[in-house]
Amino acid sequence: MTDITILGAGNMARAIALRAVAAGRNVQILDRTPEKAAKLAAELGPDASSGGLDETPGGNIVVFALYFDPAREVASRLGDSLDNKVVVDISNPINTATFDSLVVEPGTSAAEEMAKLLPKAQVVKAFNTTFAGPLAEGSLNGKPLDVFIAGDSEDARNQVAAFVSDAGLRPLQVGALRHARELEGFQLLVMALQANPAYDTFNWGTALKVID
C-alpha cells in the first residue's frame, strides 16, 4: 500500500521522500527516468517503490516535486487519475533568469493554475518555502522547519499537516488556496537573496521560521 506518491526524483523529491519515510509513510517515487526513481527508492529502503510517470499514482497524497511548467504538463496528462486525491504543489513560478518576477499572471498562483487543470483533486500548496538541504535534515540550527500550507479543503490541509507533523516539521496552515499567491511571492524574495552574491553565506541553505 502506498501512502504518498512523489512525482520527480530530484533534490526536493529526495528531501520530501526522506521526511515521508521518517514519518512512517510508504512512498512511491515516479519519474520520467524510472532508473532515477529506482535509485532514490533504493536509498529510502523497503517502504519505498518506484516507477515511471506513465504509471498511476498510488498514494492518496500526490506530491508534484517538479518545476512549474513540467508540473502543469504532468497534471494535464494524469488528469482524472488524480480525482479525489490530495495534490501538493511545491513549485515556485520564478523567472530564474532574473529572480525578479513571477511567471504567473497577477491575481493567480502556480497552485491555482494546477487546480484549474485538476478540478476534482484537492490541491494544496506546501513545501514551496523549504529548500532541499534543510528539508532533508528536517531542521536548521536545531529548530524544526516550518511548512506553510494553503488549500481550499480543510480536510486536505489537515492531511498534509499530519504528514508534516509526523515528519518532525511544524505545519502552519494559512488558509485558502489563494494564499499560495503570498507564499509564492514571498519565496521569490527569499530565492533572490540566495542568488544575490552580497549574501554569499546563504547558498540555498536558509529556512523560514516564525518565532513564537
Side-chain angles (χ1 to χ4, degrees):
M1 180 177 293
T2 298
D3 299 313
I4 297 174
T5 296
I6 298 175
L7 307 181
N11 291 336
M12 280 298 293
R14 176 180 180 273
I16 294 170
L18 286 171
R19 292 296 94 215
V21 170
R25 304 297 204 271
N26 290 300
V27 182
Q28 178 190 42
I29 308 293
L30 302 180
D31 191 72
R32 292 183 190 278
T33 306
E35 293 78 11
K36 288 178 62 178
K39 183 178 179 180
L40 177 53
E43 177 187 351
L44 297 171
D47 290 330
S49 61
S50 67
L53 283 179
D54 56 337
E55 297 186 26
T56 299
N60 184 58
I61 296 177
V62 180
V63 180
F64 277 69
L66 302 166
Y67 290 107
F68 178 46
D69 285 338
R72 286 191 297 178
E73 183 270 317
V74 172
S76 296
R77 184 154 45 82
L78 290 176
D80 58 11
S81 69
L82 298 176
D83 286 0
N84 302 315
K85 292 183 181 289
V86 176
V87 170
V88 179
D89 168 50
I90 76 165
S91 69
N92 286 294
I94 306 295
N95 181 338
T96 55
T98 64
F99 286 96
D100 195 40
S101 63
L102 299 171
V103 298
V104 293
E105 295 295 325
T108 189
S109 63
E112 289 169 287
E113 295 305 303
M114 287 283 286
K116 292 176 184 176
L117 296 172
L118 302 169
K120 294 184 180 180
Q122 301 176 74
V123 177
V124 171
K125 190 77 183 185
F127 294 106
N128 78 296
T129 60
T130 57
F131 292 130
L135 182 58
E137 296 296 325
S139 62
L140 187 64
N141 296 330
K143 299 181 184 298
L145 268 62
D146 287 346
V147 177
F148 299 89
I149 301 168
D152 290 336
S153 165
E154 182 179 4
D155 176 67
R157 293 199 312 267
N158 287 340
Q159 288 187 54
V160 175
F163 160 44
V164 168
S165 181
D166 289 347
L169 314 172
R170 185 171 73 157
L172 295 175
Q173 297 194 39
V174 300
L177 192 63
R178 68 178 183 276
H179 291 301
R181 302 171 197 176
E182 288 81 36
L183 295 179
E184 294 172 9
F186 190 71
Q187 189 65 1
L188 165 65
L189 302 181
V190 176
M191 292 176 74
L193 290 172
Q194 312 304 306
N196 189 333
Y199 302 100
D200 59 351
T201 62
F202 285 1
N203 197 30
W204 307 97
T206 63
L208 295 175
K209 183 70 180 174
V210 178
I211 303 298
D212 57 0

